[in-house]
Amino acid sequence: MAYDYDKWIRPGKLPHIWCPGCGHGIVMKGLIRAFDTLQLKKEETAIVSGIGCASRLPGYIDCCTLHTTHGRAAAFATGLKMARPEMKVILCGGDGDGTAIGGNHFIHACRRNIDMTYIIMNNYIYGMTGGQFSPATPTGHKASTTPYGNPDPNFDIAKLAIGAGATFVARGTAFHAAQLDKLIVEAIQHKGFSVVEILDDCPTTYGRRNKFKSVIEMMNRLKEISVPVKAAEKMTPEQLQGKVLTGVLYKEEKPEYCEQYAKVIERAQVGK
Amino acid sequence: MAKKVAFIQGNEAAAHGAIYAGCNFFAGYPITPSTEVAEVMSLELPKTGGKFIQMEDEIGAMAALIGASLGGAKVLTSTSGPGLSLKQENIGYACIAEVPCVIVNVMRGGPSTGMPTGPSQSDIMCAKWGTHGDHPAICLVPASVQELFEETVRAFSLAEKYRTPVMIMPDEIVAHMRERVVFPEPGEIEVINRTAPSVPPEQYKPYDTSFGDVPPLAAFGSGYKFHVTGLNKMQDGFPTTKAAIVQAEEERQVRKVEANKADIMKWEEYLIDDAEIVIVAYGSTSRSARYAVNAAREQGIKAGLFRPITFWPFPEERLLEISRKTKAFITPEMSLGQCNGVVKGCIEGNAPVYGIYHVDGEPVSPDEILNKMKEVK
C-alpha cells in the first residue's frame, strides 16, 4: 500500500532534529502510516507530547499539536480530550519523560481509561540532555550519570501500564516497522487508554557508552531480544531468558472515561 | 423580580462567579483551605453541561486546565500555597503559550505546609514571580464574599481578553467567611470571551501580531490546526531561537498587561483626599484598616485607606501621586512585608512606609492599626 507521507508532514519542518541512526524517525513514519490507514482528519487529530527528543515529534506532523512541559503530556491531553471528546488524541514521548517526571500522570491516565493512545519511545536513556539514566535504563548499564554502572532496577513500561489499568497495551520495536504499523493502528482504534511501548535506540548517548559498535548492532539487538507473544507461548522459561515480548500484550473492554463523565452530566441534570 | 440572595462562603462565591462567567471546565486537586471551590464545581458544573475532573496532583490539574482551554473551554482551578508552588511550572507555560485560565489561590500560611488552616497574605510575590522567567501577571485580591464573586467573573474576562493566566487570591478569611451575596442577573456583569480568529484555517497563526498584542486564539477541534509549545515561538507557533523574534515576543507578552494596566487595575480610595496617614491594605486586612481609619478620624487623625483590588499590575502611579501629600503610609498585612516592599518601591521615598506584620495565623486587628497611626502621627 502506498502511504501519503507528504500529506502528514508539515511543509518546511524537515529535516528533523534526531541524530543519524535514531529510531524516532521510524516511529514517526509508523505513526503517519497509521494515520493514513485510518484516514484521520488533521483538524480532529491532536498529538500531545512532553519534553525530550521523542517529544519533538508533534512539530513535524500536520495536525493539532501540543508540545507541553516535561512529563505532563498525559495531563494536558486529559484536559483537551475532556473538552473535545470527539478528537483523536495521541500522546508521544520518551521513557524518561513518561515514566520518571511524568510517571504519575501516566499511571492515572491508564487508570481513568480515557480514550487516548500513548506512543512511548523507550530508548533507555535521556537523550536530549546528553545521556543520563532513566527509569528504563537496565541495571548495570552506563549513562553519563551512572559512570560506574546503573545501580537502579528498571521499569518494565508495558507491565507498568497494564498494572495501572490501561486497557490496551502493546510493545513493538523500531526494528519491526511492519508490526509497529499494525500495533499503532489497533491502539488508536481501541476505545480506552492504549499504550504502545516501542523499544528504540539512541546510538549517540546510550549506544556508545554501552559497547554498541554501530547502529546496525543496536538494531540487531532489538531483533534478537524480541519474541512475539504467540511464539513465546511455545517457549520454555529458559528460552525466554533475556527476551522481550512484542505484540499485543493486553486488551480488555472497560468503560471509557469521557463516556462515564457524560453519564455524570446526565445524572446531574436529572430533574433540572 | 427580586434578585437571588444567599448567605454563602467565599469559596462558594468564587465557584458561582466562575459559573456565571461561563466556566465549563474545572480541574483541581484537594487542598485546604480552597477545597470548597472544587466541591461546588463538582456539584454545579455538570448541571450546566460543564466538566469537572479531580487530577492526580496539582501539576496535572494545571496541565489539564491548559489542555481544556486550548480545546476552547473556559477553565478554572483552585488551590492554595503548596499547590500554587506546584502549579507554577504550567502557569509559566500558560504565560508563554498565551492560554487563558483562571486560578483561585486561597492564601494560607507558608512556606511549605505552614499553617494550612490559617489565613495569610504571603503569596502575593509568588503570584508575580512564582514561575521562572519574565512574564505578565494579573492578580486580583477581593475583600468580601460579594467581591470574590464579582472579581471571579472579572478574572475570566481578563484571562480571555488578554490570553493569559489570571490569579484570584482571597486570603483564607475572605475564602471561608460567610456573607450575604446578591447574585447578579445574567448580563448584569460584563463577560468577555476570547477573540476567535477572523481568518480561515489556512491563514491562521496562533500568535499573529497583525491583530495586535493579543492575537486571536482558535480552539483545537474547531477546524483550525496549529502548533503550541512552551519554547520561545514565532507567530506561527513554532519554536525559534532567533534573537530579534524572541526579544519581541517576550516583550509583547509582558506588554499585553503593562500597556493595558488602566483596564486591568482596580482599587478603592477611602477618605484619601485630605489624608495624612494612608493605610495600604487589601483582602480581609482592609476591613480592619477601614475600621481603624474610621476610629482614627473620630480621634482627629486624618487617616485614609488605599485598597488594591487588582494587586498585579499594582496601581503604582496613583500611589506615587498620593504619596506627594502623605506624611506616612502603613501597610498592615499577613506577611512579613511583601506589600510594604511594593509600596516602598513605587513612592520614590516621598514618605515613610511602616509595616504591621502578622504571620501567626491571626488577622491584623483594627486596634493594632490605630495604635500604629498614633505612634507615627
Side-chain angles (χ1 to χ4, degrees), chain A residues 69-90:
Chain A
T69 43
H70 200 13
R72 317 298 177 210
F76 275 77
T78 297
L80 176 60
K81 181 70 183 177
M82 279 191 86
R84 294 277 177 182
E86 70 281 6
M87 286 186 90
K88 281 279 179 208
V89 178
I90 314 295

Side-chain angles (χ1 to χ4, degrees), chain A residues 65 67 69 72 82 84 112, chain B residues 51 56 71 90 93 227 229:
Chain A
T65 51
H67 177 226
T69 43
R72 317 298 177 210
M82 279 191 86
R84 294 277 177 182
R112 286 188 195 100
Chain B
K51 290 164 186 177
E56 52 274 10
N90 288 325
Y93 187 95
H227 186 66
T229 177

Side-chain angles (χ1 to χ4, degrees), chain B residues 216-234:
Chain B
L217 177 59
F220 283 152
S222 70
Y224 287 76
K225 57 179 166 62
F226 52 99
H227 186 66
V228 177
T229 177
L231 289 161
N232 282 110
K233 79 281 180 186
M234 302 180 285

Side-chain angles (χ1 to χ4, degrees), chain A residues 10 13 42-44 46 56 58-60 62-70 72 74-87 101 104-106 108-109 111-112 114 257 261 264-266 268-269 272, chain B residues 25 42-43 45-57 59-73 89-90 93 219-231 234 236 238-239:
Chain A
R10 274 195 168 113
K13 295 300 167 196
K42 293 176 177 187
E43 294 78 8
E44 287 163 26
R56 285 302 190 94
Y60 306 118
D62 193 24
C63 61
C64 302
T65 51
L66 180 55
H67 177 226
T68 73
T69 43
H70 200 13
R72 317 298 177 210
F76 275 77
T78 297
L80 176 60
K81 181 70 183 177
M82 279 191 86
R84 294 277 177 182
E86 70 281 6
M87 286 186 90
I101 194 165
N104 204 27
H105 312 303
F106 176 40
H108 288 277
R111 174 178 64 84
R112 286 188 195 100
I114 187 162
Y257 191 77
Y261 199 83
V264 168
I265 292 176
E266 275 175 31
Q269 293 183 341
K272 193 192 158 195
Chain B
F25 183 83
S42 72
L43 181 70
L45 258 192
K47 290 182 191 169
T48 67
K51 290 164 186 177
F52 168 95
I53 188 167
Q54 184 171 306
M55 290 297 286
E56 52 274 10
D57 57 33
I59 302 168
M62 194 62 216
L65 211 63
I66 298 167
S69 185
L70 286 168
E89 176 196 53
N90 288 325
Y93 187 95
F220 283 152
S222 70
Y224 287 76
K225 57 179 166 62
F226 52 99
H227 186 66
V228 177
T229 177
L231 289 161
M234 302 180 285
D236 61 5
F238 289 95

